Amino acid sequence: GLLGSDNQTVNVQEAKVLAVNVIKSHLALKLATNDSSNQSTTDLGQEITYQLSYTNEGDVPFSNLVVQAKLDTIWFDWSTFKDDSGGANVDSALGTITWTKSVLPLLDTMPGGSRGQIKFRLYTVFALPIGVTQSPSFNAKVTVQGQELINGALQGLTAESNEVVTRVNTKLTLESEAHYYTDQMIKLGSGPLPPRVGQTTTYVIFWRLGNTWNEVENVEISTTLPQGVTWTGQTTVTAGQTPVYNPNTR
């Protein structure tokens, strides 16, 4: 436009309206890990199986598709990677796995109504990555790029899968020890040592429960006293409730 003589108004010289058609892709992607499409759990050093299902839900074929999975690279032992196609391009530094039409022919031309599946496996590392301390988890997601025919012209296509979150299971440890003396040789128990027939010897039983990184709730520890062992009723705890003894079940 041009500025008017009053230096305040603008005279419009020409106006254009552009219409942009946004077309939703009919390429449906579903990513699952260990048969879960949202959240899953794993132990360190365990094999994880990822499965991608992709479907052309429309009538227009897709072409020149490139499928790329993105993983949190520090969580995996990439030397254990296996995939059913046997020809994926793996970049362990970036945490990407890529499939093209040279490996999967369906990615060259994917007709309407057709579907395919990609499955791959690899092991997690055996120890927490450096810097990870609390509530460890890692994510995975798949992106597909390609082309589709729209109004007689090839248009770019991009689709994303759901994001799968895998949480690392915490590790609970329980140590059980019977002591007559402390490590400093302070007497804890009573009675003859070694025990004698017909006489009572008392030991102090220690249970030490440890947890690694995730918060846990409703933890319960139980045991059964063998015959010949008597509950004294004397207990101390540093966390949780005082132990309860059931004389009927021992």
Side-chain angles (χ1 to χ4, degrees), residues 229-244:
V229 176
T230 302
W231 173 260
T232 67
Q234 299 178 358
T235 63
T236 59
V237 296
T238 59
Q241 299 177 346
T242 301
V244 177

Side-chain angles (χ1 to χ4, degrees), residues 69-154:
K70 181 69 171 69
L71 310 182
D72 288 341
T73 183
I74 61 174
W75 285 98
F76 296 98
D77 178 359
W78 290 91
S79 66
T80 65
F81 174 82
K82 297 178 181 178
D83 82 296
D84 291 349
S85 70
N89 181 21
V90 178
D91 188 332
S92 58
L94 297 177
T96 59
I97 309 163
T98 306
W99 294 264
T100 62
K101 62 185 180 182
S102 63
V103 177
L104 299 173
L106 184 58
L107 301 182
D108 183 16
T109 301
M110 187 176 186
S114 61
R115 63 182 60 195
Q117 186 179 95
I118 295 174
K119 184 180 289 187
F120 61 96
R121 298 167 292 278
L122 69 172
Y123 281 81
T124 59
V125 293
F126 282 89
L128 283 184
I130 296 175
V132 178
T133 55
Q134 297 294 323
S135 302
S137 65
F138 49 88
N139 305 338
K141 197 171 187 178
V142 171
T143 301
V144 176
Q145 293 183 330
Q147 294 176 317
E148 60 181 326
L149 192 64
I150 299 176
N151 297 326
L154 285 176

